[in-house]
Amino acid sequence: MPIQNQGYRQDLNFLEHANDTLALSNLGGVGLAQDLRIIQNNLRNTSRLPFNSINGITDEFIFTTDKVIGVSAISSIPDTSRSNTSLITVELATPYHTYPGGLVTVAGVTGTGSTIFNGSYPSVLIGAGGTNVTYRKSNCVYTGSGDNVFGATVTYTSNTNNVYSNDDVVTVSQSVSVGSTTLNAGTRYFVCNSDTLSKFKLSFTPSVSGISTVNILDTKSDLTQFNFIKEEPVSRLNLENFIRPEIQDQQTFGSYLSGSINSTFESTQTNIENSNYFITKKYKGTNNTTVDTVIKFEGTVNIFDPGNFNTTTGAVTGSALSPGIFIGGTRAFSADNNPWTVAGDFLETNADEVSIGELLFGDGIKIDGVPVTASSDGKTAQSFTHKVPVVINGETYYLLMTP
């Protein structure tokens, strides 16, 4: 048998001890067997990402849509770990192997217990293979099953924080036909065109060999549910990345991993989520920004049309894509930089309030209700509410007006 710090004995014909743990401890020291088990299991680590939906036009797998699954059964039992609380378990017609913690909404349960079962709750447990989901209902102690779940559904609100990145190797949990392509279980596919947050494409080859995108051109919404499976081995390099580096600037970088690794990941995720939220509220040139808040600004507002979309009248008046600012549904500015339109011999506007900086009358002045009369000195205004300055031959005069 092997002797500690000496190895196998030749006179025993290299006979190995029946206890592998003892044999490895004798060869490499106490604890080596446990270290090898950790490394071995780390190399077998995998993660899963349940299929959500597809974009048949762009060949992308999308993970930001809500997933609606049929309900086959639903039941409730008292939660022994919390007072006045029930654990409700929903059996799914189609397994959906996601992770707990996301919001689930049960709807369509009728009959006994319907007021208890229906509603939105965070999930606390996902059953083996995603066959069921369990959530807690507070201020309720109920034992029983739903007697009518025909047509009932459970909706998983998307809670995917990130997806796989480019050149990650994935397989599928079962063979499934997607559009004109069949994804076979056991076949290695390569992630490409990933935004790492919500979507990616698949390729038959890695990027170093040239991407060959999987065609998923399909409009069906009842595709077979499956999981993407990714190998997640922990290598020596991964562990070395957690070794505290030599820090020269202690004042700025001295707090390296001052908390736990988990708390650092959580704070990083919080920062990412906050950034994603505020990006939707900020003005940007890559996407539309829609807000329901009052916008106040001072100075000049410039509208640019770098694609020259507004070069034709039809594009300006007949397309919602035409760049512009609209006030009360009326285009405030367009190619001629004013909200007025020419209607025969008149200028018209539908704006609630308008102001004129400088208006040139090229051929006389005509105001409805005011007859053209010869002017002379000595005329006095009886009453007026508004004054309109006009320049005639370089001199400023005022039109005194009443409603």
Side-chain angles (χ1 to χ4, degrees):
M1 63 176 293
I3 300 175
Q4 185 174 2
N5 300 326
Q6 188 173 342
Y8 292 94
R9 289 175 52 183
Q10 186 176 5
D11 60 340
L12 294 178
N13 198 24
F14 300 104
L15 178 66
E16 183 179 350
H17 196 281
N19 188 327
D20 289 339
T21 300
L22 180 59
L24 291 171
S25 297
N26 286 335
L27 287 171
V30 176
L32 175 61
Q34 182 63 22
D35 292 341
L36 291 176
R37 287 195 185 98
I38 294 174
I39 294 175
Q40 181 187 39
N41 289 333
N42 278 340
L43 295 178
R44 296 174 178 174
N45 288 340
T46 60
S47 64
R48 68 180 182 277
L49 188 63
F51 165 75
N52 193 304
S53 62
I54 61 174
N55 186 329
I57 298 176
T58 60
D59 290 337
E60 292 174 321
F61 292 91
I62 308 296
F63 298 90
T64 54
T65 55
D66 296 344
K67 192 72 174 182
V68 181
I69 306 291
V71 174
S72 59
I74 189 169
S75 60
S76 174
I77 60 173
D79 186 353
T80 58
S81 64
R82 299 188 181 185
S83 61
N84 198 26
T85 303
S86 294
L87 285 175
I88 299 176
T89 300
V90 182
E91 300 292 337
L92 304 179
T94 302
Y96 188 62
H97 203 183
T98 186
Y99 293 91
L103 182 68
V104 294
T105 301
V106 177
V109 179
T110 59
T112 304
S114 59
T115 58
I116 296 175
F117 297 132
N118 293 324
S120 298
Y121 308 91
S123 62
V124 297
L125 179 66
I126 301 296
T131 55
N132 58 62
V133 58
T134 301
Y135 58 88
R136 285 191 176 96
K137 185 175 180 67
S138 302
N139 301 319
C140 171
V141 178
Y142 180 75
T143 301
S145 301
D147 58 1
N148 189 355
V149 295
F150 179 78
T153 60
V154 56
T155 301
Y156 290 81
T157 300
S158 175
N159 67 334
T160 302
N161 294 318
N162 62 282
V163 298
Y164 301 141
S165 55
N166 292 337
D167 277 331
D168 282 346
V169 180
V170 298
T171 59
V172 291
S173 59
Q174 65 186 75
S175 297
V176 59
S177 294
V178 183
S180 58
T181 303
T182 298
L183 301 178
N184 295 307
T187 300
R188 293 159 62 91
Y189 301 96
F190 300 87
V191 174
C192 63
N193 297 102
S194 172
D195 66 355
T196 71
L197 293 175
S198 61
K199 60 185 178 180
F200 60 72
K201 297 182 182 181
L202 287 183
S203 172
F204 292 105
T205 54
S207 60
V208 294
S209 303
I211 294 175
S212 176
T213 306
V214 174
N215 180 13
I216 61 170
L217 197 61
D218 202 317
T219 58
K220 295 187 301 181
S221 59
D222 57 346
L223 296 175
T224 302
Q225 184 60 43
F226 64 95
N227 295 324
F228 293 100
I229 301 174
K230 176 179 175 288
E231 298 176 356
E232 301 278 9
V234 178
S235 65
R236 175 182 174 181
L237 178 61
N238 298 138
L239 298 177
E240 290 177 349
N241 288 335
F242 285 105
I243 298 176
R244 182 183 178 90
E246 181 180 353
I247 300 176
Q248 296 179 345
D249 187 351
Q250 291 287 344
Q251 182 176 357
T252 305
F253 302 102
S255 61
Y256 171 82
L257 282 183
S258 57
S260 66
I261 293 177
N262 288 340
S263 64
T264 301
F265 277 123
E266 289 175 358
S267 62
T268 301
Q269 178 178 331
T270 300
N271 291 336
I272 293 174
E273 292 175 350
N274 288 338
S275 297
N276 290 336
Y277 171 78
F278 286 112
I279 284 175
T280 64
K281 303 301 180 183
K282 296 293 183 180
Y283 313 118
K284 49 193 173 293
T286 58
N287 206 344
N288 293 333
T289 300
T290 301
V291 295
D292 56 2
T293 55
V294 176
I295 300 177
K296 296 181 179 181
F297 56 86
E298 295 181 1
T300 302
V301 177
N302 295 324
I303 303 175
F304 298 96
D305 183 19
N308 295 322
F309 189 88
N310 286 350
T311 54
T312 61
T313 303
V316 175
T317 59
S319 175
L321 300 178
S322 175
I325 293 180
F326 298 84
I327 302 176
T330 301
R331 177 183 288 276
F333 305 95
S334 58
D336 56 358
N337 296 319
N338 63 64
W340 301 86
T341 57
V342 178
D345 296 331
F346 302 96
L347 291 176
E348 295 183 350
T349 180
N350 293 322
D352 296 333
E353 296 183 4
V354 296
S355 61
I356 302 173
E358 183 174 332
L359 180 62
L360 172 64
F361 293 93
D363 187 20
I365 302 175
K366 179 181 179 182
I367 301 176
D368 287 347
V370 179
V372 178
T373 60
S375 62
S376 61
D377 295 336
K379 295 288 185 180
T380 59
Q382 301 298 323
S383 64
F384 65 93
T385 58
H386 295 77
K387 296 194 303 180
V388 179
V390 296
V391 178
I392 301 176
N393 295 331
E395 296 290 337
T396 300
Y397 299 87
Y398 291 91
L399 297 178
L400 306 182
M401 309 184 70
T402 59

